[in-house]
Amino acid sequence: MPLVVVGSVALDSVVTPTQTRDNVLGGSAIYFSYAASYFTSVRLAGVVGEDWPGEHTALLKAQGIDTAGLQIVRGGKTFRWRGKYLPNMNDRETLDIQLNVMDQFDPVLPETYRRCKFLFLANGSTKLQLKVLDQCQGPSLVVADTMDLWIRTEPNELRELFKRIDGLVLNDSEAKLLTGIDNLVQAGHIVREMGPRFVVIKKGEHGAMFFSQHETYVLPAYPTPDVVDPTGAGDSFAGGMMGYLAERDNFDPKTLKEAMAYGILVASFTVEDFSLDRLKTITREDLDKRMTDYKRMLSF
Ligand code: AMP
């Protein structure tokens, strides 16, 4: 089943304790699309400026990602984000953010995108996420991501969004900010009671927690020793998870758990290099091999 994603498309600059990269391919929708493309056909919607290197679009197309929904604004500049990781490689600080063309982005989904059954609203303003949702005709599964910025600046829109989505993916600090509760198990259920049928709390190097009415569980991260750049891990997690659900055309509890595991495994590859550099080198077989190791690791 095809999967539609709308989110940021960026040129990122990343500073880690040992290395720096400037203006590399990034953005929530980019990591998501590439991660999901191992499982299903992906339709990407976003916006870039005239400075967007054509080779990035070529890379996405070569992976089978549909870029018909990627708007190019003449005379505009692409969204830019600059972040710095602390020595623990888990916490980061945003050094600079330039919304550029994202500021005025008015998403208009191509006709083929509107009838999609699987929709992911990647990190971006909640107002924008709602506009996209309005254009989709009866999707079966809608999952959204959000972040502290929108929790602070668009709380009313977020409440509306929660009532219209099936799943929400957010990280641990965002769940605490949203609920005012430090205990993540309580926070996860409180977020679920705000509307989504299931909630996933990402915990970086500690894996991810799942909450539905009948289930609460945690899956650990795959313990890769080669963490080079954690940027995009959360978006790759969501891409792997949604890609697998779309591939299966199913989101029952068992499939959701398998999907969480695939999300964790794609993210474990993403962090092994900057930008999409590690993902570009792997195939579905590599993911399946890591899945075998992961299952072995979890059986006792
Ligand atoms: P992650 O590490 O999974 O949280 O995702 C990092 C990606 O999110 C980077 O590639 C950034 O370009 C993108 N990003 C950072 N801030 C924002 C924002 N305010 N809105 C949308 N995307 C963002």
Side-chain angles (χ1 to χ4, degrees):
M1 281 288 142
L3 163 62
V4 169
V5 57
V6 185
S8 61
V9 177
L11 295 174
D12 287 343
S13 295
V14 181
V15 181
T16 74
T18 54
Q19 297 182 72
T20 297
R21 289 286 187 285
D22 283 318
N23 298 319
V24 294
L25 176 58
S28 56
I30 293 293
Y31 282 108
F32 180 94
S33 302
Y34 212 90
S37 70
Y38 296 103
F39 304 93
T40 194
S41 55
V42 182
R43 297 174 179 165
L44 162 73
V47 67
V48 292
E50 223 172 60
D51 54 351
W52 176 248
E55 73 203 51
H56 291 339
T57 306
L59 174 78
L60 301 170
K61 282 187 173 161
Q63 188 70 9
I65 297 165
D66 185 348
T67 57
L70 184 63
Q71 296 175 24
I72 302 176
V73 178
R74 294 280 155 238
K77 277 188 77 183
T78 302
F79 170 70
R80 275 157 209 264
W81 173 80
R82 186 175 180 83
K84 180 182 174 180
Y85 286 88
L86 304 188
N88 67 15
M89 287 295 266
N90 218 21
D91 300 317
R92 75 177 174 214
E93 155 186 14
T94 292
L95 299 176
D96 185 34
I97 199 159
Q98 295 171 24
L99 288 177
N100 298 329
V101 291
M102 276 271 284
D103 198 24
Q104 300 294 319
F105 180 36
D106 190 11
V108 180
L109 296 187
E111 207 44 51
T112 47
Y113 285 42
R114 293 178 185 232
R115 293 183 305 272
C116 238
K117 282 179 69 179
F118 289 81
L119 172 66
F120 188 73
L121 303 165
N123 194 5
S125 98
T126 318
K127 286 187 183 121
L128 191 140
Q129 292 177 319
L130 286 167
K131 270 189 187 174
V132 170
L133 202 43
D134 287 341
Q135 294 174 42
C136 284
Q137 297 158 3
S140 325
L141 185 76
V142 181
V143 179
D145 192 352
T146 194
M147 69 183 288
D148 49 357
L149 180 64
W150 319 118
I151 295 171
R152 288 204 179 88
T153 59
E154 298 184 337
N156 296 334
E157 287 84 357
L158 216 49
R159 299 277 155 173
E160 188 191 334
L161 182 79
F162 288 168
K163 301 232 167 350
R164 298 178 58 189
I165 57 177
D166 302 289
L168 180 73
V169 177
L170 73 178
N171 70 29
D172 43 4
S173 60
E174 292 156 358
K176 288 177 188 173
L177 178 68
L178 189 60
T179 57
I181 289 178
D182 277 333
N183 179 313
L184 281 182
V185 182
Q186 288 176 11
H189 284 294
I190 289 172
V191 178
R192 192 180 54 73
E193 281 158 15
M194 293 176 182
R197 282 190 290 118
F198 69 87
V199 172
V200 176
I201 300 183
K202 299 170 286 179
K203 302 197 302 159
E205 63 181 340
H206 302 298
M209 297 176 85
F210 180 90
F211 303 89
S212 67
Q213 193 186 349
H214 302 293
E215 273 188 310
T216 305
Y217 58 79
V218 55
L219 289 181
Y222 180 85
T224 174
D226 310 315
V227 181
V228 173
D229 171 19
T231 309
D235 304 311
S236 306
F237 164 81
M241 182 185 93
M242 286 296 286
Y244 183 77
L245 294 174
E247 179 191 58
R248 289 295 157 120
D249 189 14
N250 188 342
F251 37 90
D252 65 14
K254 179 174 176 292
T255 314
L256 269 165
K257 200 179 225 173
E258 290 162 359
M260 289 261 298
Y262 268 113
I264 282 168
L265 296 180
V266 187
S268 75
F269 280 110
T270 297
V271 302
E272 290 176 355
D273 207 340
F274 286 91
S275 184
L276 295 180
D277 290 356
R278 182 68 173 118
L279 288 190
K280 282 192 278 189
T281 69
I282 67 160
T283 62
R284 175 65 182 269
E285 284 68 45
D286 295 308
L287 283 167
D288 288 335
K289 250 187 254 156
R290 205 167 264 198
M291 178 62 95
T292 306
D293 288 349
Y294 186 63
K295 281 186 174 163
R296 200 176 297 129
M297 180 185 103
L298 292 182
S299 71
F300 55 88

